[in-house]
Amino acid sequence: MHTVLLTGGTRGIGRAAATEILRRDPTTHLVLLGRASSVHPVAAELRALAPHVTPLDADLADLTSVRRAAATVGRLLDAGDLPPLRVVGANAGVQLVDALHTTPDGFETTFAVNVLANHVLLRSLEPWLRTPARVVVTVSDTHFGDLRHTGGLVPAPRWSDPATLAQPAAFPRPSTAVAGRTAYSTSKLAAVHLVHAWARHLPVGVDVLAYNPGFVPGTGLTRAASPVARFVAGRVLQVLTLQPSIDDVQTAGRRLAAALLGDVDAPTGAYVDRSRVVPPSPASYDEAREDALWRFADEVHAAIATVGTPGHPEGRSGSPV
C-alpha cells in the first residue's frame, strides 16, 4: 500500500488519471489537493471506486495554502494515517486571459500556479518521499514555441529573470490574451527547467519527470477565456480528437496515470511526450537558467516556511520575497 498525491485531480486529465489509478489498484491511498468546493465532491465520487480517497483543501494560487496542505500530509504520514508517500503528481495548471492576475502572495498567477506552487509543494513534501518514488510534473509542448508544437495558437516563451517572470505585467501589452498565453508558454518552459533542476537535487531512488499530454481539447484549461474561445476549445476542437496525434481527455488521463505509476520506463529528468520519452526543446537545456530558477523558487519556499506569506509586513518590504 502506498500514497499517491495529486493536484489538478478534480477535472480534465487529472480527474481521468485519478479514476484510472484507483481502478488499477483500489488499495491506493489517493490524496487530492484542491479547492474545497471541488475537491470534496470529487473525492466522494471517487470513493465509489475505492475507499481510500482523502481530500485536502489547497488553493494552488496561494503558496501559504500549498505549504499548509503539505504540512497536513506530513502529519498524516507521521501518524500512520497514510501509507508511505511514493507518488506525487503536480498536474494543476492555469492559462489566463492576461498577465495581470495577482495571487495573495503578490505573484503573477500563471507563474505562481504552474511553477512556484509545484516547487513549494515538492520542497515541503521532500522529507516524506519514500523510495522508490516518482514525481511527475505536467508540462506542455507549447514550451517549444514553434509552429509544429503550438499550431500558431500560443506565442513562444519569452524568458527573463525568474523574479521578473513572477511579477504581473512581465510581458508586453500585459492586459491582452496574447500576454496571457505568453505567460503560459513561458511558465511551461520554466516547469521543464525546474524538472531538470529537481533531477539533480533529489536522491537516487526518487525520480522526477515532465509529462506532456499534448493538445487535449476539453480539459477546462481555457475556462478563463472568452465565451467564443471556450466554445471553440470545448466543442469545435474536440472534433480533432479523431486525429491519431491528438488524445481525448480519458486517453490523456490514462497516460498520465501510467507515467505516475511507473509504466513508462524513463530516467529521472526525462520528458515524456504522451507515452514516449523524447527530448524537450533545445532551449529547455540551460543549467544556468535552471539554477537561477531553483534559487528563486527556493527563496520563495523559505519565505513561506519562515515568515508566512511573501510580501507580508513581517517579510521584506516592497518585494514578494
Side-chain angles (χ1 to χ4, degrees):
M1 296 173 63
H2 63 270
T3 294
V4 174
L5 183 144
L6 182 64
T7 70
T10 61
R11 58 161 58 92
I13 296 171
R15 173 66 182 274
T19 300
E20 178 69 7
I21 289 167
L22 295 176
R23 185 194 66 79
R24 288 179 49 174
D25 184 2
T27 68
T28 296
H29 286 240
L30 179 65
V31 176
L32 290 178
L33 262 61
R35 291 177 177 170
S37 59
S38 57
V39 75
H40 288 277
V42 169
E45 294 172 8
L46 289 172
R47 289 194 191 103
L49 295 173
H52 308 296
V53 182
T54 300
L56 287 180
D57 186 16
D59 182 353
L60 276 293
D62 182 341
L63 299 181
T64 301
S65 173
V66 175
R67 168 75 178 181
R68 187 182 305 120
T72 299
V73 172
R75 287 194 295 271
L76 292 172
L77 289 164
D78 286 342
D81 295 325
L82 290 173
L85 177 62
R86 299 197 188 278
V87 180
V88 175
N91 175 67
V94 296
Q95 180 179 319
L96 301 174
V97 296
D98 58 43
L100 294 173
H101 283 66
T102 307
T103 70
D105 308 294
F107 298 116
E108 191 275 320
T109 301
T110 309
F111 196 84
V113 173
N114 295 355
V115 185
L116 296 178
N118 291 340
H119 189 78
V120 170
L121 178 65
L122 296 180
R123 204 68 159 125
S124 302
L125 291 174
E126 190 177 3
W128 288 282
L129 284 169
R130 294 293 175 263
T131 58
R134 175 169 280 200
V135 175
V136 178
V137 179
T138 300
V139 295
S140 167
D141 50 9
T142 60
H143 87 277
F144 281 86
D146 57 16
L147 184 63
R148 174 192 168 196
H149 291 90
T150 69
L153 299 175
V154 180
R158 292 173 62 104
W159 192 258
S160 185
D161 176 79
T164 299
L165 295 175
Q167 294 302 308
F171 304 101
R173 297 186 298 145
S175 63
T176 66
V178 171
R181 291 193 289 269
T182 303
Y184 177 78
S185 63
T186 304
S187 74
K188 292 303 183 178
L189 175 59
V192 178
H193 280 324
L194 208 50
V195 165
H196 294 164
W198 269 102
R200 294 193 294 272
H201 172 84
L202 288 169
V204 174
V206 181
D207 295 337
V208 57
L209 307 177
Y211 166 73
N212 169 46
F215 176 62
V216 183
T219 63
L221 183 64
T222 58
R223 58 188 176 274
S226 69
V228 172
R230 291 200 304 271
F231 175 79
V232 171
R235 300 293 180 85
V236 177
L237 293 181
Q238 287 196 35
V239 175
L240 295 176
T241 59
L242 299 175
Q243 300 293 323
S245 62
I246 297 176
D247 288 340
D248 59 20
V249 169
Q250 297 304 316
T251 301
R254 288 194 295 270
R255 286 179 165 163
L256 173 57
L260 289 165
L261 298 178
D263 293 355
V264 180
D265 185 12
T268 189
Y271 182 84
V272 179
D273 179 60
R274 300 169 75 197
S275 59
R276 300 179 303 115
V277 176
V278 302
S281 70
S284 72
Y285 293 103
D286 190 321
E287 196 162 327
R289 282 186 184 179
E290 294 160 6
D291 289 344
L293 179 59
W294 175 276
R295 289 192 298 271
F296 175 76
D298 239 21
E299 288 176 5
V300 172
H301 173 260
I304 293 287
T306 56
V307 297
T309 305
H312 188 276
E314 295 176 4
R316 303 177 191 177
S317 175
S319 173
V321 293

